[in-house]
Amino acid sequence: MRQDAIDQSALWLADGLSRAADDKSSRLALDRIRRGIEAGTTTLDQTVQELSGGQKAQPGEFGLELAGAALVTFLLTTMQEFFKTYIKKLTEDAANKGVQITLEEVKKLFRKDAEDHPDRLGGQLAQALEKYGKEAGIDPDSAQRLLKLVKDESALKTVAKAD
């Protein structure tokens, strides 16, 4: 699967998690990021680099304070890494079946996993959040909030239903 499809998947899931957490500032930032990517003025990697310090984010940039920017950066980076692994497995399974994986197929399979195996899927997301949270130096309270969210079966199902 191409990097832009991984990025779209990461944005989709990050937005779903932000909705489930009722985090309006993150949702606004993610919407702005998505519009920039769709307009072709930036890529997800460029945005993450800018937010994480490649070009120091200023308070209020992307509608966030610096702590919020760090959380969105962490969330996007984690979702990218999660989907690289998740899509690799789906692609291997699809190759065995001769199926082309598209973003809609990824969403469909993710939704099915959220319905059928929420504990396993939540565990995979939690592992990714813990790993990249430590690497990114994310505030433990922020990381714990996301960990609780991905381990909550009903929240995970709500996330999976996001457009």
Side-chain angles (χ1 to χ4, degrees):
M1 185 170 230
R2 297 184 333 243
Q3 183 64 42
D4 62 325
I6 290 170
D7 292 351
Q8 289 173 3
S9 298
L11 276 166
W12 168 72
L13 187 53
D15 183 64
L17 288 169
S18 294
R19 286 175 191 274
D22 197 28
D23 184 345
K24 290 177 177 74
S25 64
S26 291
R27 287 182 53 214
L28 287 171
L30 291 166
D31 184 53
R32 247 185 168 165
I33 292 166
R34 182 186 342 277
R35 285 191 314 240
I37 291 169
E38 288 172 356
T41 58
T42 190
T43 66
L44 190 57
D45 286 338
Q46 289 170 332
T47 301
V48 166
Q49 184 178 15
E50 288 171 9
L51 287 173
S52 64
Q55 289 181 292
K56 293 288 185 200
Q58 298 300 312
E61 186 175 2
F62 296 105
L64 301 172
E65 295 302 323
L66 290 178
L71 187 58
V72 169
T73 301
F74 162 62
L75 186 57
L76 288 172
T77 301
T78 301
M79 295 306 101
Q80 277 182 307
E81 294 304 319
F82 169 78
F83 272 108
K84 285 178 187 174
T85 304
Y86 186 75
I87 290 171
K88 181 180 178 186
K89 175 151 181 14
L90 291 178
T91 303
E92 289 169 359
D93 292 347
N96 292 334
K97 296 176 187 173
V99 175
Q100 175 76 22
I101 295 287
T102 64
L103 177 59
E104 287 308 311
E105 186 69 16
V106 169
K107 286 181 181 180
K108 182 176 121 185
L109 293 169
F110 185 91
R111 287 176 176 131
K112 183 168 176 29
D113 277 349
E115 263 314 304
D116 297 347
H117 310 287
D119 290 341
R120 183 181 70 201
L121 187 59
Q124 291 171 333
L125 280 166
Q127 284 178 339
L129 288 166
E130 287 171 341
K131 177 181 178 186
Y132 296 104
K134 287 177 186 173
E135 289 177 12
I138 293 300
D139 170 54
D141 291 338
S142 297
Q144 280 300 347
R145 188 170 150 218
L146 288 169
L147 284 169
K148 279 184 179 178
L149 189 63
V150 300
K151 290 180 179 180
D152 178 346
E153 190 173 315
S154 63
L156 191 57
K157 289 178 181 181
T158 299
V159 168
K161 292 177 185 174
D163 290 333

